[in-house]
Amino acid sequence: MKLTHSYYQQEDVVALAKDLIGKKIVSKIDGKRTSGIITETEAYRGYDDKACHAHLGRFTERTKIMYETGGVAYVYLCYGIHHLFNIITNTHDNADAILIRAVEPIDGVEVMLERRGKEKLDKTLTSGPGNFSKAFALDKSHYGADMTGDKIWIEDNKEFRFRESEITASKRVGIDYAEEDKDLPWRFYLNSSKYVSKR
């Protein structure tokens, strides 16, 4: 069952980033369905997080979607190469976001391999936010996409079970500019999965 808008509109973006671990993310692009278990996320809090694009109310053409009510996608190009896929959470004007950093593939592995230009399945297929987005065919055309729509969504994956001890909290990756906020333990990953970008 798809997660509803009310799920994404919860206030605590850090708790939500952890809660998304183990859920199933699905894309249906050009008639091709791909899915995977979310194994790694990062939380970004709008109002007081120096690592967040919307820190101190920064409002630009790129960040304007962050101020919308939770349940829409925020996709941006990093280093002019990688599309990074984020989900806006919380209520209007809070600008909280969760970056999907890695998934463990389920459906459409052949499609993912083709999109990534790879011949065989290994952990790099969907580990790392740029690799995940490419494998799932997510790019800037999905900026603002409704997370309850028919192109990209997340399902509450009741079949997938894991213990609390299998989730590790750690510092986020690649945000050394964020001063003291770079040390916040706001990255979560499923340590029992090989599909994680960094341990």
Side-chain angles (χ1 to χ4, degrees):
M1 195 168 79
K2 286 182 185 179
L3 299 180
T4 62
H5 284 129
S6 61
Y7 176 86
Y8 298 109
Q9 288 158 19
Q10 296 177 68
E11 286 183 10
D12 188 342
V13 68
V14 179
L16 264 183
K18 183 178 180 182
D19 194 64
L20 281 174
I21 300 296
K23 292 190 167 28
K24 183 178 182 179
I25 189 162
V26 184
S27 78
K28 194 169 183 185
I29 311 293
D30 298 328
K32 295 176 179 177
R33 178 187 167 100
T34 51
S35 74
I37 304 291
I38 297 173
T39 54
E40 186 180 358
T41 61
E42 284 180 348
Y44 290 87
R45 194 161 67 188
Y47 70 93
D48 65 347
D49 177 6
K50 291 178 179 175
C52 183
H53 290 169
H55 179 54
L56 298 179
R58 192 179 297 124
F59 188 98
T60 65
E61 195 60 28
R62 180 171 83 163
T63 65
K64 64 183 180 182
I65 195 68
M66 298 186 74
Y67 293 88
E68 295 299 319
T69 303
V72 293
Y74 169 42
V75 188
Y76 65 91
L77 197 60
C78 183
Y79 304 128
I81 308 167
H82 303 294
H83 286 98
L84 302 196
F85 182 83
N86 302 257
I87 301 158
I88 301 308
T89 67
N90 210 332
T91 49
H92 194 265
D93 277 347
N94 279 286
D96 292 351
I98 297 169
L99 171 66
I100 305 298
R101 285 194 57 88
V103 308
E104 186 167 320
I106 304 175
D107 302 313
V109 171
E110 291 300 321
V111 174
M112 296 184 207
L113 288 167
E114 186 181 334
R115 288 171 177 163
R116 292 283 332 278
K118 293 172 73 70
E119 290 184 3
K120 63 181 192 337
L121 175 63
D122 61 33
K123 73 172 200 136
T124 64
L125 180 66
T126 48
S127 298
N131 293 340
F132 155 70
S133 294
K134 192 166 185 182
F136 275 60
L138 299 170
D139 57 31
K140 286 208 291 189
S141 71
H142 302 107
Y143 178 99
D146 183 347
M147 289 299 300
T148 66
D150 58 3
K151 289 193 172 177
I152 178 75
W153 66 89
I154 296 175
E155 298 175 359
D156 203 356
N157 191 23
K158 300 291 188 193
E159 313 88 72
F160 187 73
R161 294 265 180 265
F162 59 92
R163 295 181 297 279
E164 180 74 16
S165 60
E166 291 177 67
I167 297 182
T168 297
S170 71
K171 296 194 298 186
R172 295 171 291 182
V173 178
I175 54 161
D176 288 344
Y177 59 84
E179 299 175 357
E180 69 276 9
D181 289 348
K182 75 182 186 333
D183 295 321
L184 291 167
W186 287 1
R187 178 170 76 105
F188 300 95
Y189 65 89
L190 191 65
N191 56 50
S192 53
S193 174
K194 68 179 181 179
Y195 291 92
V196 172
S197 69
K198 186 177 181 181
R199 293 186 184 268

